[in-house]
Amino acid sequence: MSLFLSDLALAQSQTSATTQPIRLLVGSVPGASSDTYARIISEPLGKILGQTVLIENKSGASGIIATGSMMSSPADGQTLQLIYTPHTLSPYLFKKLSYDPIKDVTGITMIVTSPLVLVVGGNSPIKSYKELIELGKTRPLNYGSAGIGSGGHLSGEMLRIDTGLKLTHVPYRGAAPAATAVAAGDVDFAFVAQITAKELTSANKLRLLGVTSKVRSPALPQVPTMQELGLKDFEFVNWFGLIAAAKTPPEMIKKIHQAMQEVLKQPDIKARLTADGSDILGNQPEQFTQFLVSDAKRWGPLVGQMGLKGE
């Protein structure tokens, strides 16, 4: 009887472990591009794994609040995070972290990559990139972003370095508030995700000036690249991927990765993920993990050049 009860308890424990909801942490507010991608993949991922995937938005501090929450949770594959570009900058921007954002995490897969779009308000007197530069020569300009170290922040600093203009960075708690600030005229311009740019442009709240990819985006073929506009070395691509804590069992990483591969092959999911011009990647866990290491090294020298300081 004691053996029977022991086996029953173990079986119940295993069942509980595999049916409890998976927490998918997102370091941005609802409506941001990372949140949008998380909501696209969460339901099909849950169906394949046989578990509910619950999204938790923990915005602020370039995603480190969300990563900190994941690191304080059991490394059992039941807590994941959808990260994006600022993750690999966080070692340089935040000096007092309780974890190493590169060594203490493991990649599952990079989901999509996407360029940003230089935008001004729909009611702004600025009608073109040339007019933006001309205005910047007469007075300092303010630009908004999703926060320190975000793609919009990095692109803004790249523009400052390349043009020599006096630009002031105004960080917001996410891409959506930054885009709203541009539309309202609270800041002069911003670099925002294509999905955000398309939605607000259709409502005449934003005007598109340039795209940060090397070639024009299929989603916005009418918008010139920053290189076409005269900045020959200007290129920036946002990336979004799925990670877990480094101590997560390899078999769990493999299981989630395989499920994600199935998700990314579904025609409706592919259509939704690429609707804004993003490209699906879906690489292997070891490839994404190595990318995080190399990307962090790449940004190191640029942080000083951009004048970014750790907090």
Side-chain angles (χ1 to χ4, degrees), residues 55-71:
I55 295 174
E56 293 185 21
N57 296 89
K58 294 183 177 294
S59 63
S62 300
I64 69 169
I65 296 175
T67 308
S69 179
M70 181 184 70
M71 298 306 301

Side-chain angles (χ1 to χ4, degrees), residues 243-289:
I243 64 169
K247 294 182 180 179
T248 302
E251 60 270 21
M252 289 299 301
I253 298 297
K254 181 179 180 180
K255 178 181 178 181
I256 297 168
H257 175 264
Q258 291 176 339
M260 276 299 303
Q261 295 305 297
E262 293 185 43
V263 170
L264 297 178
K265 290 178 182 178
Q266 296 179 16
D268 60 325
I269 299 302
K270 291 173 65 175
R272 293 173 66 190
L273 287 174
T274 59
D276 66 337
S278 295
D279 295 316
I280 295 176
L281 193 57
N283 57 1
Q284 296 295 313
E286 56 272 18
Q287 292 175 318
F288 188 31
T289 299

Side-chain angles (χ1 to χ4, degrees), residues 30-87:
S33 51
S34 54
D35 174 74
T36 298
Y37 295 134
R39 294 181 189 281
I40 290 174
I41 68 168
S42 60
E43 184 176 352
L45 178 62
K47 287 182 178 179
I48 293 171
L49 293 174
Q51 298 171 256
T52 301
V53 177
L54 300 178
I55 295 174
E56 293 185 21
N57 296 89
K58 294 183 177 294
S59 63
S62 300
I64 69 169
I65 296 175
T67 308
S69 179
M70 181 184 70
M71 298 306 301
S72 64
S73 304
D76 55 5
Q78 303 304 307
T79 302
L80 310 175
Q81 185 185 356
L82 194 147
I83 60 171
Y84 58 113
T85 310
H87 184 87

Side-chain angles (χ1 to χ4, degrees), residues 69-115:
S69 179
M70 181 184 70
M71 298 306 301
S72 64
S73 304
D76 55 5
Q78 303 304 307
T79 302
L80 310 175
Q81 185 185 356
L82 194 147
I83 60 171
Y84 58 113
T85 310
H87 184 87
T88 50
L89 259 79
S90 57
Y92 308 104
L93 299 179
F94 302 95
K95 302 302 184 182
K96 297 181 180 179
L97 295 177
S98 59
Y99 60 89
D100 187 312
I102 307 302
K103 295 180 181 179
D104 291 341
V105 307
T106 185
I108 297 175
T109 191
M110 187 183 291
I111 301 170
V112 295
T113 60
S114 179

Side-chain angles (χ1 to χ4, degrees), residues 63-212:
I64 69 169
I65 296 175
T67 308
S69 179
M70 181 184 70
M71 298 306 301
S72 64
S73 304
D76 55 5
Q78 303 304 307
T79 302
L80 310 175
Q81 185 185 356
L82 194 147
I83 60 171
Y84 58 113
T85 310
H87 184 87
T88 50
L89 259 79
S90 57
Y92 308 104
L93 299 179
F94 302 95
K95 302 302 184 182
K96 297 181 180 179
L97 295 177
S98 59
Y99 60 89
D100 187 312
I102 307 302
K103 295 180 181 179
D104 291 341
V105 307
T106 185
I108 297 175
T109 191
M110 187 183 291
I111 301 170
V112 295
T113 60
S114 179
L116 299 179
V117 185
L118 172 60
V119 300
V120 294
N123 294 323
S124 171
I126 302 170
K127 299 295 192 298
S128 65
Y129 170 76
K130 181 180 179 181
E131 291 185 9
L132 175 69
I133 299 303
E134 290 177 349
L135 180 61
K137 291 178 180 179
T138 64
R139 67 168 176 83
L141 300 177
N142 298 323
Y143 72 95
S145 84
I148 297 174
S150 66
H153 182 200
L154 299 177
S155 295
E157 290 305 299
M158 289 168 61
L159 182 65
R160 179 182 62 80
I161 293 171
D162 288 350
T163 62
L165 297 178
K166 292 184 179 181
L167 306 179
T168 299
H169 175 225
V170 182
Y172 291 87
R173 290 181 65 87
T180 300
V182 179
D186 295 334
V187 291
D188 295 302
F189 70 91
F191 287 90
V192 302
Q194 290 185 107
I195 190 169
T196 303
K198 287 184 67 176
E199 291 174 353
L200 293 180
T201 300
S202 62
N204 297 318
K205 293 183 178 181
L206 291 180
R207 183 177 296 127
L208 314 184
L209 304 185
V211 65
T212 63

